[in-house]
Amino acid sequence: GRPANRQTVYGHILIAVDGSDEASRAARHGLALAELFDATVDVLSVVERRALRLARDADETDRLRERGDAALTTAAAATADRGQSVERVRCEGRPATEIAAAASDRDADLVVVGRRGATGVGDRLLGRVTEGLLGRSPVPVLVVPDAVGAPAYDQVLLPTDGSTRAEAATPHAAAIADRADGAVHVLNVVDLQAAGGLFSAGGLDQAFVERLEREGRAAVEHTTAGVHEAAPDLPVEEQVVRTESFTGVAAGLRDYVTDEGIDLVAMGSHGRSNLTRTVLGSVASATLRTVDVPVLVVGREL
């Protein structure tokens, strides 16, 4: 394989588990990524303090704590035949707050969590804990959906809008694809709805759309240069696509993920439109609810 990129390395990965199926799938992906980077792993279970307060007696309290311990045991057992170093950690409190604090206290380079799938009415849920963590985590967060297949990181999608916030994910995408001997796909999605209406309905001038696509190509070329700076020999696919969907850029990303067999999306938590540190950017939030592959969310200050 190619020489591994050393600029962004996950030496220590924190995996949050709660005994659910989606957390178990997330753990498998986190462990596979740890193997790729030869990283040490902490598996963390948070017993909700609110649940402890509602416990009727000591037996119920003990059962809540035992459930947390069981989740840790299950996750750690998955590493038995990998020879990976795993430490189990159980704490009590508000899960999103405790996970973020543990990432900081334990010098983690990456946090891995699961994402709930579709509800009965077809809406995507991120889950209260995942959404809260994305606003608090001091390090990148890998969100693994419940519909995901076996861990693979060969084809990494790196969306860009040309902003420095979007490009925070560039070295991460390069590092993962390089370790996996894969490729990075750098993509700009031209959102015709946001730009003023459907071109096909006469809402946008052809010259205006072409200008948006030129700007998209410039953003892609700039991001590709950043990928090559991090991993000079890494293959890069460059694309600019249009979307007329009312769900915007995320719809374009979803279609590309499906059509190109993407294994993982690496993206900044905020694009041009959102300057608030504690609120997840609209494109990242929509993408997390839309795609069925893991999404690595990198905050702009990281």
Side-chain angles (χ1 to χ4, degrees), residues 79-98:
T79 68
D81 57 351
R82 293 174 182 253
Q84 286 171 290
S85 169
V86 177
E87 186 168 342
R88 297 181 238 186
V89 184
R90 191 192 74 196
C91 58
E92 298 174 5
R94 295 168 65 91
T97 304
E98 293 298 326

Side-chain angles (χ1 to χ4, degrees), residues 8 10 13-14 29 33 37 109-113 134 137 139-145 153 156-159 165-166 168-177 253 262-270 280 283-285 287-288 291 293-299 302:
T8 300
Y10 306 120
I13 295 176
L14 177 68
H29 276 259
L33 204 55
F37 282 89
D109 303 304
L110 178 71
V111 174
V112 181
V113 293
L134 287 163
S137 178
V139 297
V141 178
L142 181 68
V143 181
V144 181
Y153 304 105
V156 178
L157 175 59
L158 178 61
R165 298 177 192 89
T170 297
H172 297 268
I176 293 169
L253 298 182
I262 296 298
D263 300 309
L264 177 138
V265 179
M267 65 192 306
S269 59
H270 299 73
L280 192 64
V283 172
S285 183
T287 302
L288 284 161
V291 303
V293 299
V295 179
L296 176 67
V297 181
V298 183
L302 306 173

Side-chain angles (χ1 to χ4, degrees), residues 118-176:
T119 65
V121 291
D123 292 329
R124 296 288 184 175
L125 294 177
L126 267 186
R128 178 173 51 86
V129 173
T130 304
E131 192 121 37
L133 174 63
L134 287 163
R136 291 178 175 87
S137 178
V139 297
V141 178
L142 181 68
V143 181
V144 181
D146 68 341
V148 74
Y153 304 105
D154 295 1
Q155 304 300 314
V156 178
L157 175 59
L158 178 61
T160 182
D161 61 7
S163 68
T164 55
R165 298 177 192 89
E167 289 176 357
T170 297
H172 297 268
I176 293 169

Side-chain angles (χ1 to χ4, degrees), residues 3 5 15 21 28 40 71 74 83 117 147 162 177 190 216 233 236 258 267 270 298:
N5 164 49
I15 304 172
D21 288 343
R28 282 198 291 276
T40 55
T74 301
V190 177
D233 299 321
V236 178
T258 302
M267 65 192 306
H270 299 73
V298 183

Side-chain angles (χ1 to χ4, degrees), residues 36-296:
L36 201 62
F37 282 89
D38 194 25
T40 55
V41 176
D42 290 341
V43 287
L44 172 72
S45 173
V46 182
V47 181
E48 286 207 54
R49 194 163 286 150
R50 182 178 59 175
L52 290 172
R53 282 200 302 268
L54 293 173
R56 285 195 300 264
D57 52 35
D59 282 347
E60 281 195 359
T61 299
D62 288 344
R63 278 199 296 275
L64 286 168
R65 291 183 173 130
E66 285 165 6
R67 191 183 304 157
D69 289 339
L72 294 175
T73 300
T74 301
T79 68
D81 57 351
R82 293 174 182 253
Q84 286 171 290
S85 169
V86 177
E87 186 168 342
R88 297 181 238 186
V89 184
R90 191 192 74 196
C91 58
E92 298 174 5
R94 295 168 65 91
T97 304
E98 293 298 326
I99 296 167
S104 180
D105 294 344
R106 305 182 74 82
D107 291 326
D109 303 304
L110 178 71
V111 174
V112 181
V113 293
R115 184 202 81 189
R116 228 172 269 158
T119 65
V121 291
D123 292 329
R124 296 288 184 175
L125 294 177
L126 267 186
R128 178 173 51 86
V129 173
T130 304
E131 192 121 37
L133 174 63
L134 287 163
R136 291 178 175 87
S137 178
V139 297
V141 178
L142 181 68
V143 181
V144 181
D146 68 341
V148 74
Y153 304 105
D154 295 1
Q155 304 300 314
V156 178
L157 175 59
L158 178 61
T160 182
D161 61 7
S163 68
T164 55
R165 298 177 192 89
E167 289 176 357
T170 297
H172 297 268
I176 293 169
D178 204 36
R179 288 281 177 139
D181 283 335
V184 168
H185 298 244
V186 180
L187 175 69
N188 175 265
V189 179
V190 177
D191 183 354
L192 297 183
Q193 280 292 326
L198 287 173
F199 171 70
S200 58
L204 290 176
D205 175 79
Q206 177 75 29
F208 180 54
V209 174
E210 289 173 355
R211 179 173 69 78
L212 293 176
E213 291 185 332
R214 280 197 305 275
E215 290 173 355
R217 279 193 293 274
V220 165
E221 288 168 8
H222 183 73
T223 299
T224 296
V227 171
H228 283 149
E229 188 177 330
D233 299 321
L234 186 62
V236 178
E237 297 280 339
E238 298 180 319
Q239 284 290 333
V240 176
V241 299
R242 299 180 187 180
T243 181
E244 297 180 351
S245 169
F246 284 97
T247 53
V249 171
L253 298 182
R254 179 198 62 220
D255 291 345
Y256 192 91
V257 164
T258 302
D259 294 345
E260 300 296 327
I262 296 298
D263 300 309
L264 177 138
V265 179
M267 65 192 306
S269 59
H270 299 73
R272 292 186 184 279
S273 62
N274 195 317
L275 301 176
T276 309
R277 175 71 180 99
T278 55
V279 179
L280 192 64
S282 59
V283 172
S285 183
T287 302
L288 284 161
R289 289 174 166 85
T290 301
V291 303
D292 285 327
V293 299
V295 179
L296 176 67

